[in-house]
């Protein structure tokens, strides 16, 4: 079975990184729970929104992301049984490409370079399962689309859902 | 129609770059015509072969590649009629990722970041046409596989072949 796994919001916690940077720079105390159903930039005053959107163009943003709980353990097991690919829509941010490669080397070394994909959109991927946090990726996918829960997608009901990597293990292991 | 186009040896002249670097550093005068049917490292004395293989890990190697003749013009036209993706197996060389993105920005700006793919292997791409110089990529592809002629693949007979971008235009435009 070929399984594609997204990076941001699925194995790398970009949402929390946005919150942490914002809270520190604007001396705020926003928590992820307050943002359910919204992108993080939609949770801050309008005059701050552009600064959030610019986070992903900063050097080091993607290098410093924390790991989503359970992803290493479950992907280790999945990789033994299935053909697991990391597929990240990263091409919009050229500075992120090397950082994402290095991040995978550090935290997911068992997923070799042969099984890593950095792309612009995921419409052209052919496989059995896609685990992703975005409707725009899950919708066009031909196989089984599993939405991985993130604060911004809490209200989406159109896809099979996994709330955690334990859920993924229950579904696929 | 979805068309995938490889980078090295198809739109970017990596083979000639290997020759140029080698000729300069070893004061040699090898020409591409002498290497037909072989990888360039197979055309040099054994004690020099590792230095060739290391070219692709040098900073700037992919940034400085010359454009394969006709590729800009034909891809401009193909992009107007079809969904054209650049698909390069680049993940083995993390330093190449940004260079390849920048190179495309400079020479193929009409192919937007949405239509660029940097991957490890191409077995998971779903589309209609793949233009590539490598059997390992063309073989597993489900659609129409077109081998773009490069010195190293001159003796391969298992695929439909294009000797130039004019050939591609004749086939696909």
């Amino acid at each position: 079975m070929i399984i594609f796994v997204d990076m941001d919001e699925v194995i790398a916690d970009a949402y929390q990184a946005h919150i942490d940077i914002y809270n520190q720079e604007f001396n705020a105390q926003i928590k992820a729970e307050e943002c359910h159903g919204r992108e993080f930039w939609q949770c801050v005053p309008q005059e701050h929104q552009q600064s959030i959107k610019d986070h992903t163009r900063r050097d080091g943003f993607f290098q410093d992301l924390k790991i989503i709980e359970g992803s290493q353990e479950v992907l280790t097991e999945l990789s033994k049984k299935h053909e697991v690919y990391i597929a990240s829509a990263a091409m919009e941010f050229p500075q992120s490409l090397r950082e994402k490669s290095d991040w995978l080397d550090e935290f997911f070394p068992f997923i070799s370079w042969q099984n890593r994909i950095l792309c612009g959109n995921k419409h052209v991927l052919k496989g059995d399962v896609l685990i992703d946090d975005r409707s725009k990726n899950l919708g066009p996918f031909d196989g089984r689309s599993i939405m991985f829960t993130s604060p911004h997608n809490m209200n989406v009901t159109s896809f099979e859902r996994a709330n955690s990597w334990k859920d993924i293990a229950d579904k696929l292991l």
Side-chain angles (χ1 to χ4, degrees), chain A:
Chain A
M1 196 157 77
I2 293 176
I3 302 173
F4 299 109
V5 179
D6 181 33
M7 285 184 78
D8 299 331
E9 308 308 311
V10 176
I11 63 171
D13 198 346
Y15 202 98
Q16 189 59 47
H18 283 298
I19 295 177
D20 291 344
I21 293 171
Y22 180 80
N23 280 347
Q24 182 171 29
E25 295 186 355
F26 288 88
N27 197 22
Q29 296 184 316
I30 298 180
K31 290 188 168 59
E33 301 85 81
E34 302 165 35
C35 306
H36 283 182
R38 290 177 291 171
E39 304 295 336
F40 180 60
W41 60 265
Q42 295 172 316
C43 301
V44 304
Q46 197 167 9
E47 62 270 29
H48 296 170
Q49 292 182 352
Q50 190 57 48
S51 94
I52 309 290
K53 293 177 185 174
D54 292 341
H55 287 169
T56 47
R57 298 197 177 275
R58 293 187 185 189
D59 285 338
F61 179 81
F62 292 98
Q63 188 70 60
D64 295 339
L65 296 182
K66 298 207 173 73
I67 302 160
I68 299 271
E69 189 185 345
S71 57
Q72 285 171 311
E73 296 78 4
V74 176
L75 277 179
T76 300
E77 295 308 310
L78 277 177
S79 294
K80 291 175 187 166
K81 295 188 174 180
H82 301 292
E83 211 176 325
V84 173
Y85 286 82
I86 300 295
S88 176
M91 298 304 298
E92 187 176 2
F93 308 110
Q95 97 292 348
S96 78
L97 302 172
R98 176 66 187 259
E99 294 187 17
K100 282 175 177 263
S101 171
D102 289 348
W103 192 89
L104 290 170
D105 283 346
E106 186 171 354
F107 299 115
F108 293 85
F110 53 92
I111 295 177
S112 71
W113 60 262
Q114 284 93 342
N115 285 41
R116 300 176 184 180
I117 303 164
L118 301 174
C119 56
N121 71 55
K122 303 183 188 179
H123 307 175
V124 293
L125 296 181
K126 180 183 64 184
D128 302 292
V129 179
L130 171 61
I131 304 170
D132 205 290
D133 64 310
R134 297 272 168 200
S135 300
K136 68 176 177 188
N137 297 325
L138 295 165
F141 186 65
D142 276 345
R144 181 175 174 185
S145 290
I146 301 178
M147 176 166 274
F148 197 88
T149 296
S150 163
H152 72 81
N153 69 26
M154 289 284 187
N155 301 330
V156 178
T157 55
S158 6
F159 300 98
E160 179 184 356
R161 187 176 280 275
N163 288 315
S164 66
W165 275 93
K166 182 176 177 311
D167 280 1
I168 298 287
D170 291 343
K171 289 171 189 289
L172 301 179
L173 276 177

